[in-house]
Amino acid sequence: PQHTHEVLDGKDKWSYGKLYVERSTPNDAFPITRQLRRADRCEIAALTREPALQVIADGITHSAVCFTIKRTDTEEPIGVYGVRESGHPNSGVVWLVGTEDITTFSNTFLRGSREWVDKLHIDHGLLYNVIDARNEVHIHWLRWMGFDMLRRIPEYGIERREFILFSRYAGV
């Protein structure tokens, strides 16, 4: 995809027209949580009793790499994604949450997605996680990105909901 990369005040910024990507900071958690997609909010609630803000802030803080997607016009964060170390060699737990603007800017988001998943693979040959089976938009995106849906887990998380284990190897 056509994009520009620049370094401003020591920070990397990758611009994709209507959206840009930069390394996440803990300050990105609040605006994302405030406008969090309903499906993402429900998935977090199904997994843990922790508030969504805490889950997202911890994700940003404890990820090996973490990036925030922002609108170019308002500089408002609309998504955050990263990889947490899994404890297994060469593998990481990939995650993403977003606001409704992810779907508003879906063409721009989709055009840059493959490049960014490839970047997440640089230090992690295997990316994996679980996803709420109700989160159809993300499941469709994961399949489009080359992730495999490995198996259904009928009762997972504190709400004992159906989740799906997914993974992707580098180079797919």
Side-chain angles (χ1 to χ4, degrees), residues 11-28:
K11 291 174 54 174
D12 286 300
K13 179 179 177 180
W14 295 267
S15 298
Y16 295 84
K18 295 177 182 177
L19 300 176
Y20 67 94
V21 175
E22 64 185 11
R23 292 202 180 270
S24 300
T25 70
N27 292 336
D28 295 330

Side-chain angles (χ1 to χ4, degrees), residues 42-71:
C42 289
E43 183 170 312
I44 290 169
L47 285 170
T48 179
R49 286 186 173 82
E50 294 289 323
L53 178 60
Q54 187 65 48
V55 171
I56 295 168
D58 286 350
I60 291 170
T61 303
H62 299 296
S63 286
V65 291
C66 192
F67 297 96
T68 298
I69 306 160
K70 294 185 176 181
R71 291 176 58 144

Side-chain angles (χ1 to χ4, degrees), residues 1-2 7 11 14 26 34 56 60 66 77 82 85 90 99 105 110 115 117-118 123 126 128 131 152 161 166-167 169:
Q2 293 290 60
V7 178
K11 291 174 54 174
W14 295 267
R34 191 178 68 236
I56 295 168
I60 291 170
C66 192
E85 295 301 337
N90 200 33
T99 70
F105 293 98
L110 291 171
E115 175 185 359
V117 170
D118 289 343
D123 293 321
L126 172 67
Y128 72 93
I131 187 165
R152 291 183 174 271
R161 296 216 178 250
F166 66 88
S167 71
Y169 284 95

Side-chain angles (χ1 to χ4, degrees), residues 26-113:
N27 292 336
D28 295 330
F30 181 73
I32 296 282
T33 305
R34 191 178 68 236
Q35 300 293 323
L36 195 60
R37 288 181 61 243
R38 185 177 190 282
D40 290 341
R41 192 174 299 283
C42 289
E43 183 170 312
I44 290 169
L47 285 170
T48 179
R49 286 186 173 82
E50 294 289 323
L53 178 60
Q54 187 65 48
V55 171
I56 295 168
D58 286 350
I60 291 170
T61 303
H62 299 296
S63 286
V65 291
C66 192
F67 297 96
T68 298
I69 306 160
K70 294 185 176 181
R71 291 176 58 144
T72 300
D73 58 353
T74 64
E75 298 186 352
E76 225 6 66
I78 66 164
V80 63
Y81 62 94
V83 177
R84 291 180 77 146
E85 295 301 337
S86 68
H88 302 286
N90 200 33
S91 65
V93 179
V94 65
W95 62 276
L96 173 139
V97 293
T99 70
E100 290 300 334
D101 276 346
I102 286 271
T103 53
T104 302
F105 293 98
S106 61
N107 288 339
T108 305
F109 172 73
L110 291 171
R111 276 197 305 273
S113 292

